[in-house]
Amino acid sequence: MRPADPLKAVKSQLALLGHAPTAADVVEALRRCGQVVSDSAVLQVQQAVRRDSVGAGLLDPLLALPGVTDVLVNGPDRVYVDRGEGLELTDLRFESDEAVRQLATRLAASVGRRLDDGSPFVDARLASGVRVHAILDTVASPGTCLSLRVPSARRLTLDDWVESGSLDETAAAILRRVVTAKAAFLVSGGTGSGKTTLLAALVGCVDPAERVLVVEDSLELDPAHPHLVRLEARPANAEGAGLITLTDLIRQALRMRPDRIVVGEVRGGELTDLLRALNTGHEGGCATVHANSVADVPARLEALAALGGLGRDAAHAQIAAALDIVVHVARDGPVRRVREIGVVAREASGLVTTVPAWSWAAARPVLGPGWPTLERRLA
């Protein structure tokens, strides 16, 4: 059984004040609760109150660690951190699941979102840029869960990818040509594989004279580009009003004189609007998509297009006309690596396939059957 927190009653007293407690308030609360009054006790209570009311509370020290990308809370007793080398179990513990729930509720409320038994999960972006997902213990086991994604403090370039061993010089040159030629492309990969980071690096290679419109569910892409406009979707409020979808934003972006349209991630029917944009003269568009390999991308796109009301034949026709190239990234232990570059091709049946043009295999680059096609498209 978890020992009782001797300061819990003191914090409860201070919570009733309705304002930030002063040192005198803390002294009075300590006396009322039968606690010893000393300078150290007053300081301890003030720090505890601040920790429970500002920022991410107990998780703030983890979010401040160098290189941290994710902080995950699985109930009160298991808190993990990822600093780029996989998940590590930390020594941090919450006093109870109610403490995790209070933190999750406060984080949601800080950005105007509701989190309670009637709405037991939320996905939001904090003012600091940290993306937070929370789901309450009424739905999740072993308790209330928090998933915090920390934005990179540094904008990575393609040169950084090469320097870290995630990309070889040949592939980097290919990708720069993809951007310069205004080829439409997708970056595919799994969760945490580096799709968004690579897409940001590629958008950073766009000619500074071009106007780039970025559309995202939650602002994550932050490319180093001088003429960038970022549009962020918005969920409905507690009354069900105020919803702004990616589809809405793609349509607005088309009216804003874009040279390039970038979608942070296509995960639903908004794919059909992106395909229409790419098929109506908006060259060089790009996005990320979840997929296990370059070969799996057409099936994934077909499924997403169906959510947007496109039948199979129409979807494949639109995909073949709109997209040129797929770049696949994957995690290889702690290293995120560009694994494949494929070209989009249409078979005699009318269905789209992806043909490998370049891949990283057995620690060396390998050219595939799609290489001549890729060369022609980038000429």
Side-chain angles (χ1 to χ4, degrees):
M1 183 176 180
R2 192 186 300 273
D5 180 359
L7 297 181
K8 187 172 184 179
V10 178
K11 291 188 287 186
S12 298
Q13 288 274 337
L14 295 172
L16 301 174
L17 293 175
H19 61 79
T22 64
D25 293 326
V26 174
V27 170
E28 181 62 25
L30 284 168
R31 285 174 177 163
R32 285 180 184 175
C33 297
Q35 300 292 323
V36 175
V37 178
S38 65
D39 290 345
S40 61
V42 172
L43 180 60
Q44 183 181 3
V45 172
Q46 286 181 316
Q47 289 175 336
V49 170
R50 184 183 183 281
R51 183 189 63 212
D52 294 341
S53 59
V54 178
L58 281 176
L59 302 180
D60 270 336
L62 298 183
L63 294 174
L65 290 174
V68 67
T69 60
D70 297 89
V71 175
L72 308 176
V73 180
N74 298 350
D77 295 316
R78 301 190 75 79
V79 180
Y80 295 84
V81 64
D82 187 343
R83 290 182 283 184
E85 297 185 359
L87 293 175
E88 309 168 42
L89 180 64
T90 71
D91 295 329
L92 186 64
R93 301 290 184 270
F94 286 81
E95 63 185 39
S96 65
D97 191 76
E98 180 61 26
V100 186
R101 185 182 180 121
Q102 287 176 357
L103 173 59
T105 303
R106 180 169 61 76
L107 292 177
S110 71
V111 290
R113 302 293 301 278
R114 171 187 169 190
L115 183 65
D116 53 33
D117 288 344
S119 182
F121 43 81
V122 69
D123 189 23
R125 181 176 57 86
L126 304 180
S128 63
V130 172
R131 184 169 177 174
V132 58
H133 178 272
I135 184 165
L136 298 182
D137 60 328
T138 53
V139 178
S141 178
T144 299
C145 293
L146 278 167
S147 304
L148 283 76
R149 172 65 60 87
V150 183
S152 175
R154 179 186 173 198
R155 290 168 167 170
L156 297 181
T157 65
L158 282 187
D159 289 336
D160 293 323
W161 278 72
V162 172
E163 186 177 340
S164 67
S166 298
L167 185 64
D168 85 325
E169 291 282 4
T170 302
I174 294 170
L175 295 181
R176 287 190 179 92
R177 291 175 61 197
V178 168
V179 174
T180 302
K182 292 192 173 182
F185 65 91
L186 295 178
V187 179
S188 65
T191 301
S193 59
K195 301 186 301 298
T196 301
T197 305
L198 179 62
L199 183 61
L202 293 173
V203 174
C205 296
V206 172
D207 187 334
E210 295 185 41
R211 176 174 167 87
V212 180
L213 268 291
V214 175
V215 176
E216 294 183 271
D217 250 336
S218 180
L219 294 181
E220 292 183 280
L221 276 172
D222 188 23
H225 191 277
H227 197 165
L228 189 77
V229 177
R230 303 165 76 191
L231 306 179
E232 183 179 23
R234 186 175 70 194
N237 60 21
E239 289 74 38
L243 174 67
I244 299 175
T245 66
L246 289 182
T247 293
D248 296 328
L249 294 181
I250 292 173
R251 292 174 182 176
Q252 296 307 310
L254 291 173
R255 299 182 177 100
M256 297 173 68
R257 202 272 181 208
D259 288 307
R260 309 241 187 177
I261 293 179
V262 180
V263 179
E265 181 181 342
V266 287
R267 61 179 74 183
E270 68 276 358
L271 172 66
T272 59
D273 294 274
L274 177 61
L275 293 176
R276 290 189 190 105
L278 298 180
N279 280 322
T280 52
H282 296 279
E283 297 180 309
C286 51
T288 73
V289 64
H290 274 85
N292 294 324
S293 67
V294 162
D296 291 334
V297 168
R300 173 70 171 157
L301 296 182
E302 180 184 320
L304 296 179
L307 297 176
L310 282 182
R312 190 183 195 196
D313 291 342
H316 281 263
Q318 290 283 309
I319 293 166
L323 295 174
D324 298 302
I325 292 159
V326 178
V327 182
H328 187 74
V329 292
R331 292 193 71 150
D332 186 6
V335 178
R336 295 170 172 86
R337 187 183 299 283
V338 175
R339 300 295 291 271
E340 288 181 279
I341 300 174
V343 292
V344 176
R346 198 171 185 186
E347 298 178 326
S349 64
L351 299 182
V352 166
T353 186
T354 46
V355 184
W358 177 97
S359 61
W360 184 263
R364 64 184 181 89
V366 177
L367 301 184
W371 179 255
T373 304
L374 179 63
E375 279 288 308
R376 286 195 299 272
R377 290 191 182 179
L378 300 183

